[in-house]
Amino acid sequence: MELPVALLNVARRAVDTVLPPRCLGCGVMVADTGAVCPACWGGIDFIAPPMCDCCGLPFAYETGAAAICGECARQPPLFGRARSVMTYTDTSRRFVLAFKHADRTDAAPAWGTWLARAGRDLLADADILLPVPLH
């Protein structure tokens, strides 16, 4: 039996009163569960086009459709195509390490949204989707 949406909202507000939502990056109080504060948001460098069509490395300027980076042209990788959510910086490092190694399962909805956006152009015609292992 599913609970009515109104009852779920009341329960969520009660939990948020006792345990206020915190930024996924730094822990300051934010408006919603799974949110990121403006300071952390500004430190995240999300990867978006233009990028290498193979590895997803971001390009500094538009290069045209299906352009690949020098490294992929020099030595094509064993995989077809790959994408990442963000570049690895001091800010993104905190997000990645907390999610992967500190049991921050509360960040899963945000990561799911970010990963789906990053891989949107690959998922429709993918034969297989593989996570990158921790080790």
Side-chain angles (χ1 to χ4, degrees), residues 112-130:
T113 300
W114 297 338
L115 288 164
R117 186 178 336 127
R120 184 177 301 133
D121 63 328
L122 305 184
L123 294 175
D125 50 314
D127 294 328
I128 189 168
L129 178 65
L130 296 173

Side-chain angles (χ1 to χ4, degrees), residues 6 23 33 37-38 47 49 52-53 55 58 63-64 72 74 82 87-88 94 101 104 110 115 120:
C23 171
T33 302
C37 73
I47 299 174
C52 174
D53 192 53
C55 71
T63 57
C72 288
R74 186 181 69 74
T87 59
Y88 200 66
R94 284 195 322 260
H101 300 292
R104 290 291 310 269
L115 288 164
R120 184 177 301 133

Side-chain angles (χ1 to χ4, degrees), residues 14-15 18 25 30 42 44 60 62 69-70 73 80 87 91 93 101 103-104 106 117-118:
V15 169
V18 176
V30 292
I44 299 173
E62 187 58 50
C69 69
T87 59
T91 301
R93 181 178 191 272
H101 300 292
D103 294 328
R104 290 291 310 269
D106 58 308
R117 186 178 336 127

Side-chain angles (χ1 to χ4, degrees), residues 29-40:
M29 288 179 45
V30 292
D32 294 311
T33 302
V36 177
C37 73
C40 287

